[in-house]
Amino acid sequence: MGVRSQDDIDRRRARRGTVSSVLAALVVVGASAALVVAPLDGVSARRPDVARGLTQVDIGSPSSMVVCPEPVRLTQQQSVMVDDTLAEQQVSSSRQVRLGVLGRGGGVAVSGLVPRGGVDDDSGSAQVAGAPSLTAHDVDAPAVRDFPGIADALVAVTSGRGVAQSAEGQWTAASVLTSVDGGDRRGTVGAPCQVASSEQWLVGGSTQLGASSALRVMNPSVTAATVTVTMWGPSGRVGLPGAESLLVPPGEQVEVLLEGVAAQQRRVAVHVAAAGALVTAVIEHSELDGITSLGGDLVVPGASPQQVQVVPGVVVRDRVDDAERASVVRVVAPDFSPVASLAQASEEDAAQVAGDVVGQVRVTLLGPDGHVVLLGATAHDLVAGQVIDVPLTGVPAGEYSVVVDADVPVLAGARVNDQAPDDVGSRFGTPSDFAWVPAAVGTVSAESSVGVPFVSATSAVVLPLGVDATLVATRLPGGSTQAEVVSELDAVPNVYASDESGEGDKQGDSWTEEEQTAREAWVVASEAVADVLVFDEQGGQLTQRTLTLSVGQTNSLNMGEFSGASAVVVVPRDGHDGVVSWSVVTADPEIPGSLSVFAPHVSAADAPFVTVERSVRAGLPTE
């Protein structure tokens, strides 16, 4: 049977008399005891049979929870490496969390979650779950606070400020990074810290031989969370015996080794839905080839299923013609498509589309010179629930963003790879590293599953200590429909990826006169679309730069140009047609070939008011 529409699903639920939606949730947030109501006005917009009577409730000063996962902890075995003579050598590692409370006004309350237990990489001794080692304290704005060597998951609850309030000049963000210079976990594992929510979409990871993917769910709230986990692989939805429903106690975290419950899944995407409390989730993914590290990263949540997705900050270090080693764009159409949330779909809904070809997906790669046309097929069939990877073979080295447009709502992300120089390797192989890039969160309102019009992310990225950082920004089309966005992308000049022999390459002298004229007009049409605000180690603004881009153009800015840069924000300018999507790519200069990507996040909790339903039968059908 084909894909069912949302109206079909809603009508069946109404006949069953089930409750389809929760219109508001009251959550006591952390030590600040701030009251947060989750706004779900989009439910009523989709449900004409829900009694309306909406009102806005003032919640006073905004408050949000930013949660940083634990930095990677090495086992005693991972703390040593084997050289060419088979002798063991101790590896050097560092772990850090960096918190930025940027701009004046308000502050944050910092505390830690209960540790998971395991082995401490400094002492090699076993650690059992117990009280957090991080002492709870307040951080007043403005400030950038470093937590070197931290072993806890960190929770920052804002007070009198939100995560991203450009009008007030206030931003709150944090980042986590672990650096290891050798052994099984060589490379950098980093991620921006996340805002707690009831739903998380994680695109990335693998459970094939040599890979490990640990799903970690963190509950910073004061009430327990019941979490439902759904996973998709290359052949569709994957059963998770004993791990499909998790109870996460307040102030604690739960970890599931996905290879232990769903082995030999080369491509993975995961959905986490929480009831009872807001949570965050990450997947710690690492890979080995024998005893040679192939890298690792934290998979962080991306955008919910949409027909148009944007993945900013896809970096290609060297052109790769081998699809097995190339960076990839990962896509999956959840097997309840086109429903935009797992909370709105039953097992019966999912069964009716699983295994069906539900449409096609197209991948557009945007670089400094325009649209890079990929070799091979530009459109790929989507089978409901099956995870596919689109390799970026033949793409020249550089920084890019990816636009994914599909016939049905999809999830998207990208894996970018880098390799250490040959002189770093041993007779056992040359190590490499990789980073997972999520689809941009906050690009569209909750009422739409299409994904347009785009909205610029205005939150901050905190730069970890001791890394080389590059800001990658793309100007997206300003169309209000999917067709308009695709039409504007089609007008972007083409650059053709080439194979190893150079066949297919078409740029420079090979352009026709018509193509050259169109390219010149595209360059001339560039505008100042955003301001880059750089903040210093005290949380004050250090300097400001202007981003000038044409529609569909990606450019980069070396953050090393700004001495003392500790955080960055991109604030879009009014009066131009287009949106800016961006992220920060980092590498540890002491670990050649290392790679991490930090994407800004957006919190809906920043508004000083929420919309609630005034009804004694809120969420119930009126008939």
Side-chain angles (χ1 to χ4, degrees):
M1 185 173 181
V3 179
R4 310 193 87 187
S5 68
Q6 181 67 54
D7 290 340
D8 292 337
I9 295 170
D10 286 340
R11 280 194 293 271
R12 192 177 75 250
R13 285 203 193 91
R15 290 195 300 271
R16 291 201 300 249
T18 58
V19 178
S20 65
S21 306
V22 177
L23 294 184
L26 298 180
V27 179
V28 180
V29 180
S32 67
L35 206 57
V36 178
V37 183
L40 294 175
D41 185 43
V43 173
S44 296
R46 293 191 301 266
R47 290 290 309 274
D49 56 334
V50 174
R52 294 185 64 86
L54 304 179
T55 187
Q56 289 184 343
V57 177
D58 187 354
I59 61 173
S61 299
S63 179
S64 299
M65 289 182 289
V66 177
V67 183
C68 301
E70 289 179 1
V72 174
R73 287 186 286 169
L74 306 184
T75 65
Q76 191 165 7
Q77 180 180 359
Q78 293 170 337
S79 298
V80 297
M81 61 181 292
V82 177
D83 62 18
D84 284 347
T85 66
L86 300 182
E88 290 188 349
Q89 296 183 2
Q90 194 75 20
V91 304
S92 174
S93 65
S94 65
R95 55 195 183 196
Q96 59 170 296
V97 170
R98 201 172 205 197
L99 171 68
V101 189
L102 312 177
R104 299 190 177 278
V108 299
V110 177
S111 59
L113 293 182
V114 172
R116 293 177 292 119
V119 177
D120 186 84
D121 62 344
D122 294 326
S123 64
S125 59
Q127 303 292 310
V128 297
S133 60
L134 180 65
T135 302
H137 62 281
D138 295 332
V139 178
D140 295 327
V144 173
R145 184 66 56 84
D146 294 310
F147 299 87
I150 187 173
D152 297 334
L154 181 146
V155 180
V157 181
T158 68
S159 176
R161 59 165 40 230
V163 171
Q165 293 184 288
S166 299
E168 288 75 23
Q170 296 176 343
W171 297 271
T172 307
S175 63
V176 57
L177 182 73
T178 302
S179 300
V180 184
D181 71 353
D184 291 356
R185 298 303 304 270
R186 183 190 184 278
T188 58
V189 177
C193 303
Q194 303 298 310
V195 176
S197 67
S198 61
E199 192 172 52
Q200 317 267 322
W201 301 91
L202 301 149
V203 180
S206 172
T207 64
Q208 68 178 343
L209 187 64
S212 175
S213 291
L215 172 66
R216 200 178 305 158
V217 183
M218 293 150 282
N219 179 8
S221 305
V222 296
T223 56
T226 301
V227 174
T228 301
V229 181
T230 306
M231 176 171 154
W232 296 273
S235 301
R237 187 178 293 215
V238 181
L240 302 173
E244 292 182 342
S245 182
L246 307 173
L247 180 64
V248 187
E252 298 188 24
Q253 50 191 318
V254 171
E255 182 177 275
V256 176
L257 285 176
L258 296 179
E259 62 267 28
V261 293
Q264 296 302 313
Q265 302 293 321
R266 183 172 184 176
R267 301 181 293 274
V268 166
V270 174
H271 176 258
V272 172
L278 305 180
V279 302
T280 62
V282 297
I283 296 174
E284 184 181 320
H285 175 207
S286 61
E287 293 186 359
L288 272 175
D289 181 8
I291 63 171
T292 301
S293 172
L294 300 182
D297 199 26
L298 293 173
V299 182
V300 298
S304 61
Q306 298 170 357
Q307 287 178 241
V308 183
Q309 298 275 21
V310 180
V311 185
V314 176
V315 59
V316 177
R317 296 298 194 199
D318 295 294
R319 194 189 75 180
V320 175
D321 299 304
D322 180 3
E324 293 296 318
R325 297 190 303 110
S327 298
V328 298
V329 178
R330 180 162 294 182
V331 181
V332 58
D335 52 12
F336 48 81
S337 185
V339 182
S341 168
L342 186 62
Q344 300 169 347
S346 68
E347 291 294 331
E348 182 180 346
D349 300 328
Q352 294 182 14
V353 297
D356 289 351
V357 175
V358 293
Q360 286 194 320
V361 62
R362 294 154 292 276
V363 174
T364 302
L365 191 64
L366 302 175
D369 297 319
H371 170 205
V372 179
V373 181
L374 301 176
L375 293 174
T378 57
H380 303 264
D381 285 340
L382 287 170
V383 177
Q386 294 187 8
V387 183
I388 64 172
D389 282 349
V390 180
L392 302 180
T393 53
V395 175
E399 291 86 18
Y400 303 91
S401 288
V402 170
V403 177
V404 174
D405 76 278
D407 300 329
V408 295
V410 295
L411 301 172
R415 169 175 164 156
V416 293
N417 301 325
D418 198 6
Q419 188 166 357
D422 291 339
D423 58 2
V424 174
S426 68
R427 63 173 173 156
F428 303 108
T430 302
S432 58
D433 200 5
F434 62 83
W436 283 104
V437 190
V441 175
T443 56
V444 71
S445 62
E447 290 84 354
S448 172
S449 63
V450 176
V452 294
F454 299 119
V455 177
S456 297
T458 57
S459 51
V461 167
V462 177
L463 308 178
L465 285 169
V467 299
D468 295 332
T470 302
L471 185 146
V472 179
T474 301
R475 180 181 174 184
L476 301 172
S480 58
T481 68
Q482 183 175 3
E484 290 176 357
V485 168
V486 172
S487 177
E488 290 186 60
L489 290 175
D490 287 342
V492 176
N494 290 337
V495 177
Y496 294 83
S498 63
D499 59 21
E500 194 170 3
S501 66
E503 184 177 351
D505 187 24
K506 186 178 183 183
Q507 48 189 314
D509 295 338
S510 60
W511 290 326
T512 65
E513 183 176 347
E514 182 179 358
E515 289 174 331
Q516 185 63 38
T517 300
R519 176 172 296 278
E520 291 172 355
W522 177 71
V523 173
V524 171
S526 63
E527 298 178 273
V529 294
D531 293 315
V532 179
L533 310 184
V534 182
F535 292 83
D536 60 21
E537 296 173 350
Q538 286 73 47
Q541 186 171 328
L542 178 66
T543 188
Q544 177 175 320
R545 287 289 182 89
T546 300
L547 277 179
T548 301
L549 296 167
S550 298
V551 173
Q553 184 179 31
T554 301
N555 269 337
S556 59
L557 178 63
N558 180 9
M559 300 306 298
E561 297 179 14
F562 314 108
S563 177
S566 297
V568 61
V569 176
V570 176
V571 180
R573 291 187 174 187
D574 296 329
H576 67 82
D577 182 23
V579 176
V580 177
S581 187
W582 63 283
S583 63
V584 175
V585 179
T586 68
D588 189 327
E590 301 298 321
I591 307 175
S594 60
L595 184 64
S596 292
V597 178
F598 297 80
H601 54 245
V602 174
S603 171
D606 283 349
F609 60 85
V610 292
T611 303
V612 297
E613 179 77 34
R614 303 184 68 178
S615 170
V616 295
R617 307 180 69 233
L620 296 176
T622 56
E623 299 179 0

